[in-house]
Amino acid sequence: MERETPWVSHYYNNFARDDWKYNSFLDLDDEGDKDVAAVSLDLILPDDLLERIIAYLPIPSIFRAGCVCKRWHEIVSSRRFLFNYSRTSSQKPWYYMFTGNDEPIGYAYDPVVKKWYNIELPQIQTSDWSIASSCGLVCFMDNNCRSELYVCNPIANSCRRLRECPEMEFSDHIALAISVNRMSHKYIISVVQSKQVPGNYSQFDLSIHLYDSETMMWVTPLTEVLTGWRGRDESVICNGILYFLIYSTAGDRYGLMSYNLSSRGSNGLLAKRYVPVPFPLTCGRLMNMKEKLIMVGGIAKQYGTDIIKGIGIWVLNGNEWQEIARMPHKFFQGFGEVHEVFASSGTDDLIYIQSYTAPALLSFELSQQQWRWSQKCPVTKRFPLQLFSGFCFEPRLVISP
């Protein structure tokens, strides 16, 4: 299948030119009757009113609007428009789905217009990189050498490589998270590492590494030995608290641990901050939904098995999990063969769930308690054992790493 031209390239290629020419970027079914006379908005609307109208458009339409004429380009690229848009816009989170191979190919889904867009993320060099997102920024980390760590804005096509953490070593498990301050746009990145103690199967060294974009420094505020537990690859920062999943060395249950980022100390991590999970799970996915901790999990038939019988959603209230939804059986069957693990991420009010074995994408809106399939993703399955993965992110114009 021929790949689509990225709409981001329309934006940057045209904005870099001085010889402006009108380009409508209309879809074929939007051309309408060309014989009908049109009234130019330039003649009747002042800049401030035109800004407000354009600000209500979806992000792809704003990029196209910037290619209409020189005046519209100056409006959508002005500091005033970008600032006001960032304060008033209420875009729903997008989902980026990509193939699980050595050269990942992916598309981003916009649930507002129900379309997939071809967005290239060159930072993802292989499909097994750790990925986390917050407030328009996406963080990528190489799971093999741990030396490559990037923060980027997929919409603005801006990227920055961070300095390597000197205390970070190779580990058995790693969990990546990022939290962005919505006012200052400063961010904190956390890396939770877990490594088996040599000669002791039941003990794992656990360490937490934090990067502060304001100081551009790494710190390692916590190192501790876990007995009977090991870290996993799932973590999230929610309301100043770092949450991460752990798994028993006996292989029969999950648990949740938390760490207050403001404390920067290691007093009583396990004793005071352990929360059991509500069901036997095949896997768990953590996410920050309006500063509430949400977990999407595969419900196992019984403890110690990898046979999945359903998918549930829980919210953490204090130290208790409360179930808020369970996937209806018809949607569960819609994935076809569902393995014990799957991809799931969300933010704001929208949760995405995706099977690793097919490019099907299901969303769940918390406020409406509504399940909905997305439009079919253009990515194709080229061989029987090919896998797919993905993550969600907030589309934002004005935020840079």
Side-chain angles (χ1 to χ4, degrees):
M1 187 178 100
E2 185 179 353
R3 297 185 64 186
E4 302 173 4
T5 302
W7 52 264
V8 173
S9 67
H10 285 312
Y11 177 75
Y12 287 99
N13 292 341
N14 284 279
F15 274 27
R17 293 168 48 193
D18 294 326
D19 55 330
W20 282 91
K21 294 182 179 180
Y22 175 79
N23 190 340
S24 66
F25 284 89
L26 295 175
D27 293 332
L28 294 177
D29 56 354
D30 292 335
E31 290 185 358
D33 188 355
K34 295 181 179 180
D35 296 330
V36 177
V39 178
S40 175
L41 293 177
D42 291 332
L43 300 178
I44 60 176
L45 292 179
D47 284 355
D48 58 343
L49 185 55
L50 186 57
E51 284 182 11
R52 294 186 182 184
I53 295 174
I54 296 177
Y56 282 98
L57 296 175
I59 284 182
S61 299
I62 291 177
F63 289 156
R64 296 189 183 100
C67 299
V68 168
C69 63
K70 186 174 182 179
R71 182 194 178 201
W72 286 30
H73 158 67
E74 292 175 348
I75 287 176
V76 300
S77 59
S78 67
R79 290 182 177 271
R80 184 176 69 178
F81 173 80
L82 295 175
F83 176 75
N84 291 331
Y85 181 81
S86 64
R87 298 179 60 186
T88 60
S89 173
S90 58
Q91 301 282 337
K92 290 186 177 181
W94 290 16
Y95 191 85
Y96 186 81
M97 183 184 296
F98 58 95
T99 56
N101 51 34
D102 292 338
E103 296 181 358
I105 300 173
Y107 295 84
Y109 181 69
D110 180 356
V112 175
V113 298
K114 298 180 174 61
K115 288 185 177 181
W116 291 89
Y117 298 102
N118 176 210
I119 299 181
E120 295 183 359
L121 295 180
Q123 294 77 22
I124 305 180
Q125 299 178 15
T126 60
S127 59
D128 62 346
W129 280 39
S130 295
I131 304 173
S133 69
S134 173
C135 191
L137 293 182
V138 183
C139 185
F140 305 91
M141 185 175 187
D142 182 2
N143 278 338
N144 294 323
C145 63
R146 313 288 197 257
S147 61
E148 293 190 60
L149 181 63
Y150 299 90
V151 178
C152 79
N153 181 339
I155 299 298
N157 201 24
S158 59
C159 182
R160 176 186 174 193
R161 181 172 179 175
L162 303 184
R163 56 173 294 188
E164 182 179 353
C165 176
E167 302 295 330
M168 204 176 301
E169 300 177 352
F170 178 80
S171 57
D172 298 308
H173 301 279
I174 185 171
L176 178 69
I178 181 173
S179 178
V180 179
N181 186 301
R182 294 183 179 272
M183 297 300 295
S184 67
H185 293 174
K186 302 296 183 181
Y187 54 88
I188 292 177
I189 295 174
S190 66
V191 179
V192 181
Q193 287 192 298
S194 176
K195 183 178 181 180
Q196 183 179 346
V197 175
N200 193 327
Y201 176 78
S202 64
Q203 288 190 329
F204 280 76
D205 288 319
L206 183 138
S207 59
I208 295 177
H209 312 278
L210 301 176
Y211 176 85
D212 190 329
S213 66
E214 188 169 11
T215 62
M216 294 187 293
M217 298 291 292
W218 285 94
V219 295
T220 304
L222 183 141
T223 56
E224 189 165 320
V225 177
L226 303 182
T227 301
W229 297 92
R230 64 175 183 264
R232 297 292 289 180
D233 58 355
E234 194 69 26
S235 67
V236 71
I237 299 173
C238 183
N239 203 21
I241 306 295
L242 169 63
Y243 295 95
F244 54 96
L245 289 178
I246 55 176
Y247 193 64
S248 69
T249 54
D252 60 353
R253 65 188 185 278
Y254 280 89
L256 177 74
M257 295 180 65
S258 64
Y259 175 74
N260 192 329
L261 296 179
S262 62
S263 66
R264 302 292 172 94
S266 60
N267 39 3
L269 179 66
L270 272 179
K272 299 179 180 179
R273 301 165 190 168
Y274 168 78
V275 178
V277 298
F279 282 93
L281 299 181
T282 61
C283 71
R285 306 297 181 218
L286 303 177
M287 53 203 74
N288 181 342
M289 310 288 289
K290 297 180 178 179
E291 299 305 325
K292 290 187 176 181
L293 179 64
I294 299 292
M295 180 175 66
V296 179
I299 303 174
K301 286 192 174 182
Q302 61 185 21
Y303 282 102
T305 67
D306 291 332
I307 303 176
I308 184 173
K309 67 175 183 179
I311 295 177
I313 303 175
W314 297 267
V315 60
L316 185 66
N317 291 323
N319 290 326
E320 299 291 334
W321 291 103
Q322 176 186 350
E323 184 173 328
I324 55 178
R326 188 168 295 199
M327 183 184 295
H329 190 63
K330 64 177 182 179
F331 290 106
F332 184 72
Q333 286 183 318
F335 282 111
E337 183 182 2
V338 182
H339 290 254
E340 66 275 9
V341 294
F342 52 85
S344 182
S345 59
T347 188
D348 193 27
D349 194 51
L350 198 60
I351 296 174
Y352 290 101
I353 300 175
Q354 175 201 348
S355 171
Y356 285 135
T357 58
L361 180 63
L362 182 66
S363 65
F364 177 72
E365 195 166 354
L366 283 175
S367 59
Q368 302 295 325
Q369 293 284 297
Q370 188 174 37
W371 299 87
R372 182 182 292 111
W373 289 108
S374 74
Q375 298 295 321
K376 184 179 179 181
C377 181
V379 68
T380 56
K381 193 166 187 174
R382 300 182 178 180
F383 50 89
L385 297 180
Q386 184 172 31
L387 300 179
F388 303 87
S389 189
F391 60 90
C392 87
F393 66 95
E394 298 179 50
R396 288 182 172 267
L397 294 173
V398 190
I399 188 170
S400 61

